[in-house]
Amino acid sequence: MTPEELAPLVRATVVDLAAPASPLADSYLVDTNFLFFCYYQRHSQLEDLGRGPSAYQTTAYPAYEERARVAGGRIGVTRGILVQFLHRIEGAELAILHATLDPEAVDREVWRPTKVIREMGHREARLDQVREEVLAQLAVVSANFTLLPDPPWTIPFAERLQEEWGRALIDATDAAFIADAWAWGILNIISDDAELSTVPDIRLYTANRTATQAARRAGRLA
Amino acid sequence: MAGADMVIRVAEESGIHCVSPDDGQRLFDRLHEALRVGKSVELDFAGVETVGPVFLNVAIGKLFGQSDAHVIEALLHWKNVTEVSERLLYLVIKNAKAHYQLSPEARVREGEIVRRALDSL
């Protein structure tokens, strides 16, 4: 979606976190994509990340995280986001393991431990390495972020998710994330997902140019 | 490490929250220059509260693309690192060594796998 197409749909207040004097908040929740850019060790290892259109992902977000931490901001992660993060990096690690064991193999979309074992033989020791990679990154996230348990729902989860889903152009996972944010009363969201700009009543801290340009056109850029 | 040629206090060099690539690049520049001339370096993480993978990949991981791994491991040491940060340090070093041993084609493939995982979010 272009900024022009997104602009009429923007309902959030959008903060361009890549701007030098972008506003800070007392507390934030982070989305899975932020964790992936900043806390999946292998992502920030890729040599060409400093170039190209996605370079901002590993520059703007960590820079803003540092500013927020220096200012005393508390940065939280919900259990749903953390589980999604771990699942994605597990999938990437399994695919990398498979590519390492069989360089000629065709890439697959989804890798599961049983599939690696079935196709590659008994390589449990290598699967232990995958788990170690994932668990090490879980430990780092646990040490650096406030882990929020499931919130004390006052209405059934399904109703809450439905409410948030119906208010914005987001998928079910995002709707559950926003429902968690409301339950915790933390509506400052750090994310690279432009679709979250369609969520009313949140402040979206992003460096996504589509989101910031759309918000500027809509008069919703902080 | 007793008698290192150079001690770098990371909190003074990079601040107490070590997460940004810019801070990592400044530390990388100092480390690279020292290791290039054969100086031993001790990183003192006392006072550091946050250590992130982006910072460590730029500051330390990139060294393995520039210098021999044995030289780096012989000359680079650290202290006052939390258990979690040290686990991350070892992970960064292990993956950097493996990454820079890959063929260019294999590195591209690894990058595609990681990007596909990100795109699926």
Side-chain angles (χ1 to χ4, degrees), chain A residues 98-139:
Chain A
H98 183 253
T100 303
L101 296 172
D102 183 2
E104 303 304 318
V106 177
D107 286 343
R108 302 292 179 85
E109 286 300 316
V110 178
W111 281 101
R112 301 191 61 77
T114 47
K115 187 182 286 186
V116 173
I117 290 290
R118 187 175 68 241
E119 299 211 7
M120 305 307 301
H122 292 286
R123 312 258 186 171
E124 285 86 351
R126 303 298 293 267
L127 287 178
D128 285 346
Q129 291 177 19
V130 169
R131 294 185 187 114
E132 169 55 23
E133 293 268 351
V134 176
L135 291 173
Q137 279 151 125
L138 170 61

Side-chain angles (χ1 to χ4, degrees), chain B residues 20-73:
Chain B
S20 82
D22 290 347
D23 287 338
Q25 183 63 45
R26 280 190 286 276
L27 183 56
F28 169 85
D29 290 341
R30 291 196 65 188
L31 292 173
H32 185 231
E33 180 58 24
L35 298 178
R36 191 180 62 79
V37 296
K39 285 184 179 176
S40 59
V41 181
E42 183 177 64
L43 295 174
D44 184 351
F45 283 84
V48 171
E49 292 184 11
T50 314
V51 179
V54 176
F55 171 83
L56 287 182
N57 273 329
V58 175
I60 294 175
K62 260 181 26 176
L63 292 171
F64 290 85
Q66 304 285 325
S67 305
D68 182 81
H70 294 102
V71 172
I72 299 169
E73 290 178 316

Side-chain angles (χ1 to χ4, degrees), chain A residues 26-31 34-35 69 73-79 81-82 141 144-148 177 186 188-190:
Chain A
D26 293 334
S27 57
Y28 307 85
L29 290 181
V30 295
D31 198 356
F34 168 90
L35 292 179
R69 289 186 186 279
R74 297 181 305 280
I75 309 179
V77 178
T78 65
R79 196 174 75 158
I81 292 297
L82 184 59
V141 172
N144 290 345
F145 294 86
T146 303
L147 300 185
L148 299 174
F177 175 41
I186 303 173
N188 301 308
I189 309 295
I190 301 178

Side-chain angles (χ1 to χ4, degrees), chain A residues 85-101:
Chain A
F85 169 63
L86 297 177
H87 185 55
R88 293 301 177 200
I89 62 176
E90 179 197 23
E93 291 296 328
L94 286 170
I96 288 168
L97 169 60
H98 183 253
T100 303
L101 296 172

